[in-house]
Amino acid sequence: MAKYKINLAVIVPLFFIALYILPLGMRDLWSPDELRYAEIAREMVHNNNWVVPTFNDIRYFEKPIMGHWMNAISQVIFGENNFSARFASAFSTFGAAFCLFLLVARFANRQQAWVTTAVFLSLFLVINLGSYSVLDGMLNMWLTAAFTAFFYAADSPTSRSRVKYYGLAGLFCAFALLTKGFLALALPVIVVVPFMIWQKQLKDILKWGWWVMLVALIVTLPWALAIHAAEPDFWHYFFWIEHIQRFAAEDAQHASPFWYYMPFLLLGTIPWLFVVPSALKHLSGQWDSRLIRYAILWAVIPFVFFSIAKGKLATYILPCMAPIAIILAQGIIAAIKQKSKSFTVGSWVNAGFFFVVAAAVLILFYMGKLPLTADETYRPWLLAFVLVSWGSLAIVAIKVTSLEAKVTSYMLMPLSLFLLVWAIIPNISIDGKMPERVLNQVSSLITENTVLMADHPSSMSAFSWYFKRDDVYLTGAKGELTYGLNYSDSSHRYVAEDDLNHFIRHQQQQHSVMILFRERETPDHLTPPDEKVVRGKYRVYYYKKDQ
């Protein structure tokens, strides 16, 4: 009987659907990012204002418009739910993977293109951000598309094709700018220019650079003028505070040391991390490849760029994952075809590591060292099952012989984890970062006339999203709404902690009042509530309307 041959052209799309699409609505939205972006998109649709982003009906100038548009369109199509809140991120991951496939299929071969796509879609950092509602996945799609177009243009033999591909590069750069701002334009420049110098094509980029910039300008100008007309202060805030201060200031937001990204780079390349040495070893003799040279610059220069910046978040290095997938795929193919012992050794280490972690989880569980409640005893067993499944697939990768089977085994390793993560996350995390359960618990107390207040924009977004309210008051920390609350038509939405008791007494004359605390300690002087609900880190204070 003939052996069944694995076809990556079938397996990879099915893997994407199973991992990126099916689980989108399974878990509650995470605070603060997912609730914030879901609410901004909801208000955009509800208010039919597609120019000025608002968060709880307060100006929100932290990011441009493209990511909010994508989230809003998702809600228009799928409704206001957890699935729609995350769909744009999953779609963006598909877009980036599709660009990678086109790039590698054109300049290498289709087999390598499918392997590259499989590697990319199974990278731990890519999966996390592809199933989580943040704007980094959308930025990554546009940047990957731009880098793909630039490489097509550099390899084009005719002026007509260069006009097309450099024009597409300008279009995608504009979309990247409209997603996260001016730094999105810097990344293609600091990668493409050195590559063209390396390839002795500097005159080419000088000749066509104006066309890229013109297309980008034409695409961005309509919204840039519209937001300036509606909110003249937007560009001042967005350029000087969001860019210059975040990148260079000593007190920059999320300031971290130079080496900050190294652990996230290693974790982000799991499960392929264990065979990275084998892949790099078998790239010897292939460094003259134009595509590999381009991928090296594409991976290394942005990584160094973000490492130099004062403000850092793990999500910022997502644009480095696509070129890393190109490099790893080429090395992995060579290692497997040459029956590399180092690939086998890496796979054994992979299996052993996850078997040990599975045993450690169960040991800690029986020692009572895991932060679990009495109704969560199934969670460590479920996690152990996931870890054993992961390790077993590493052994399968050793035993099977074909390239497609080995790649499929590695690609499938994270599948069970991300399909079951909603059931593995312990209550301490759910009730610490996911406010849906506590709000469901108090929802019967809330009417359309109840005055809602929160101690931080992150907890405020929960009230706004789950109760479809854009009139929530804020106390305690202003966070990312500090600038928006400075406007005269929004300043009344903030109540200083010293004024809380007066505010509550005044509102109680006509309305009930509910305050959600999480980020800050409850003020000692606060009037005792009529009802108090505590769940994890969330504390709800409810004050009845005066009779």
Side-chain angles (χ1 to χ4, degrees):
M1 184 173 69
K3 292 183 178 180
Y4 176 75
K5 184 177 181 180
I6 291 176
N7 187 349
L8 290 179
V10 175
I11 296 297
V12 172
L14 291 176
F15 171 78
F16 175 81
I17 294 170
L19 185 56
Y20 286 89
I21 302 299
L22 295 182
L24 287 182
M26 289 184 178
R27 66 184 189 277
D28 297 344
L29 295 183
W30 201 274
S31 174
D33 294 321
E34 293 196 305
L35 287 167
R36 179 202 307 123
Y37 292 123
E39 175 58 20
I40 292 171
R42 186 194 71 82
E43 292 181 26
M44 181 172 286
V45 176
H46 182 262
N47 298 328
N48 198 27
N49 183 350
W50 297 78
V51 175
V52 182
T54 62
F55 183 21
N56 190 39
D57 202 31
I58 299 169
R59 295 167 182 82
Y60 188 80
F61 292 169
E62 298 278 313
K63 299 292 184 291
I65 203 69
M66 179 63 75
H68 304 314
W69 280 345
M70 294 178 69
N71 282 327
I73 292 170
S74 178
Q75 290 188 25
V76 170
I77 297 172
F78 300 110
E80 297 172 4
N81 52 59
N82 296 352
F83 182 93
S84 68
R86 298 185 177 113
F87 180 78
S89 293
F91 174 81
S92 297
T93 305
F94 168 81
F98 182 68
C99 291
L100 270 183
F101 179 84
L102 293 178
L103 178 63
V104 178
R106 167 75 177 271
F107 298 101
N109 56 71
R110 290 182 67 86
Q111 182 190 61
Q112 187 169 328
W114 281 116
V115 174
T116 301
T117 306
V119 171
F120 175 74
L121 288 175
S122 55
L123 291 172
F124 206 70
L125 183 62
V126 175
I127 299 172
N128 270 283
L129 298 184
S131 55
Y132 182 76
S133 183
V134 284
L135 304 186
D136 299 88
M138 303 168 207
L139 171 67
N140 184 54
M141 176 176 68
W142 301 126
L143 286 176
T144 303
F147 282 121
T148 299
F150 273 120
F151 196 81
Y152 267 75
D155 198 69
S156 295
T158 66
S159 294
R160 183 177 180 179
S161 60
R162 290 186 181 186
V163 168
K164 178 173 68 174
Y165 291 122
Y166 278 123
L168 284 173
L171 173 70
F172 296 135
C173 284
F175 289 165
L177 185 153
L178 290 172
T179 302
K180 290 207 75 173
F182 297 104
L183 290 180
L185 293 181
L187 295 182
V189 172
I190 62 177
V191 171
V192 172
V193 171
F195 174 72
M196 299 300 272
I197 293 174
W198 194 356
Q199 295 299 117
K200 299 180 181 180
Q201 289 181 279
L202 181 59
K203 289 183 178 180
D204 194 60
I205 197 66
L206 294 176
K207 178 180 178 181
W208 292 99
W210 69 270
W211 172 236
V212 177
M213 291 185 289
L214 179 61
V215 172
L217 179 63
I218 292 172
V219 173
T220 56
L221 201 56
W223 179 77
L225 294 176
I227 188 68
H228 178 72
E231 299 291 345
D233 203 36
F234 174 86
W235 290 112
H236 164 77
Y237 173 84
F238 188 67
F239 180 77
W240 288 107
I241 297 177
E242 272 298 294
H243 283 75
I244 304 302
Q245 181 175 320
R246 176 169 291 193
F247 182 83
E250 291 298 326
D251 60 345
Q253 188 179 16
H254 313 301
S256 298
F258 180 83
W259 51 265
Y260 170 84
Y261 287 117
M262 285 305 302
F264 292 105
L265 180 66
L266 296 176
L267 291 172
T269 56
I270 290 174
W272 303 93
L273 173 65
F274 299 94
V275 294
V276 165
S278 180
L280 295 180
K281 175 184 176 182
H282 287 83
L283 276 174
S284 58
Q286 302 184 53
W287 300 110
D288 289 336
S289 163
R290 281 170 57 89
L291 184 59
I292 293 298
R293 286 185 176 185
Y294 190 59
I296 291 171
L297 294 177
W298 180 359
V300 172
I301 294 179
F303 185 83
V304 173
F305 177 81
F306 287 125
S307 296
I308 293 172
K310 299 292 183 182
K312 297 180 176 69
L313 283 175
T315 58
Y316 292 173
I317 61 169
L318 180 61
C320 301
M321 294 296 109
I324 285 174
I326 294 174
I327 296 168
L328 287 180
Q330 187 153 330
I332 287 167
I333 290 172
I336 293 174
K337 287 185 175 180
Q338 296 175 32
K339 300 181 179 179
S340 168
K341 290 184 178 179
S342 58
F343 185 92
T344 301
V345 170
S347 298
W348 278 117
V349 172
N350 188 354
F353 176 80
F354 283 96
F355 287 150
V356 169
V357 174
V361 167
L362 294 179
I363 291 172
L364 290 172
F365 170 60
Y366 279 108
M367 292 175 63
K369 300 296 184 181
L370 298 180
L372 302 173
T373 57
D375 62 342
E376 296 182 278
T377 55
Y378 67 93
R379 296 193 197 275
W381 288 101
L382 198 55
L383 178 57
F385 166 77
V386 167
L387 296 170
V388 170
S389 298
W390 188 306
S392 300
L393 282 169
I395 294 177
V396 171
I398 297 169
K399 299 300 182 180
V400 296
T401 56
S402 72
L403 169 67
E404 291 79 7
K406 288 181 180 292
V407 169
T408 299
S409 298
Y410 262 82
M411 180 182 69
L412 293 178
M413 288 175 189
L415 183 60
S416 61
L417 174 61
F418 285 91
L419 282 177
L420 296 174
V421 66
W422 61 273
I424 294 173
I425 298 174
N427 287 337
I428 191 173
S429 296
I430 295 174
D431 293 328
K433 297 292 289 184
M434 301 178 184
E436 183 171 353
R437 297 205 304 193
V438 69
L439 293 185
N440 284 338
Q441 193 172 338
V442 300
S443 61
S444 61
L445 300 173
I446 298 176
T447 69
E448 61 180 13
N449 294 319
T450 301
V451 174
L452 302 178
M453 173 178 280
D455 69 337
H456 191 274
S458 62
S459 45
M460 178 199 76
S461 63
F463 269 150
S464 297
W465 170 254
Y466 288 117
F467 297 106
K468 314 307 176 190
R469 296 276 293 270
D470 56 8
D471 59 350
V472 183
Y473 287 87
L474 195 63
T475 189
K478 297 181 180 179
E480 64 263 38
L481 290 177
T482 299
Y483 198 80
L485 287 167
N486 286 334
Y487 283 84
S488 59
D489 59 356
S490 299
S491 58
H492 70 283
R493 303 284 292 283
Y494 180 79
V495 180
E497 288 185 351
D498 290 342
D499 299 327
L500 266 180
N501 287 334
H502 174 74
F503 175 83
I504 293 170
R505 287 194 299 270
H506 176 72
Q507 295 294 337
Q508 280 184 291
Q509 296 174 17
Q510 298 182 7
H511 311 285
S512 58
V513 178
M514 181 176 287
I515 307 177
L516 176 62
F517 293 98
R518 182 202 179 276
E519 303 294 338
R520 301 168 67 87
E521 293 296 325
T522 308
D524 294 333
H525 66 277
L526 189 63
T527 302
D530 295 304
E531 294 188 39
K532 178 181 177 181
V533 175
V534 177
R535 185 156 190 161
K537 291 187 176 182
Y538 292 102
R539 305 175 306 284
V540 178
Y541 281 38
Y542 179 72
Y543 300 86
K544 296 178 180 178
K545 176 184 175 182
D546 291 340
Q547 299 300 320

